Amino acid sequence: MAPQIESRAAKLLGIRMPRNPGSLHDLVGAVQRRLTFADLERFRQGLAQTRAQFAAMIHVSERTLARHAEDTTRHVDSGIAERALRLARMQALAEYVLEDATAGRQWLATPQPGLAGRVPNELLSSEFGAREVETLLNRIEHGVYT
């Protein structure tokens, strides 16, 4: 399952990966070296999130996103790149588990009983929250949704 998730996450971010990416480490390196603000804007639009929602999730100001939205040359710093990758991986995992991109986006935006009624997207702003979401998605994938 992991190579499919990593490949889909790279595609969501608009990052070209080698034909046979070696690991998550390779993906992190590629995202840190190549992700531009224009890539972030395309990713945000694909997630159908407002700039405010997206900015909160990746811990960057709305103004910064707006100012650089069309900049294809300015690369984001490594912290923003890693947080964007975290979102992309969770979107890719939700798409994989639910077998549909739209269903994955909807699931991430809807309160989930397995997360004590919290909205997965709201948890993705932290590594700990992302792990909770990932754990629940993996449980769903294996038929254990309690």
Side-chain angles (χ1 to χ4, degrees), residues 73-89:
T73 59
R74 184 177 175 126
H75 290 83
V76 301
D77 70 41
S78 62
I80 294 170
E82 286 186 26
R83 292 187 297 271
L85 177 56
R86 179 173 58 218
L87 295 181
R89 288 188 73 242

Side-chain angles (χ1 to χ4, degrees), residues 68-129:
H68 301 297
E70 302 303 318
D71 195 338
T72 60
T73 59
R74 184 177 175 126
H75 290 83
V76 301
D77 70 41
S78 62
I80 294 170
E82 286 186 26
R83 292 187 297 271
L85 177 56
R86 179 173 58 218
L87 295 181
R89 288 188 73 242
M90 289 303 101
Q91 176 64 38
L93 181 58
E95 289 177 12
Y96 176 83
V97 170
L98 300 171
E99 300 177 353
D100 181 73
T102 301
R105 277 193 308 276
Q106 289 174 342
W107 186 90
L108 289 168
T110 305
Q112 297 300 322
L115 297 170
R118 294 174 294 176
V119 176
N121 274 340
E122 294 172 3
L123 297 173
L124 297 179
S125 64
S126 73
E127 184 62 32
F128 180 76

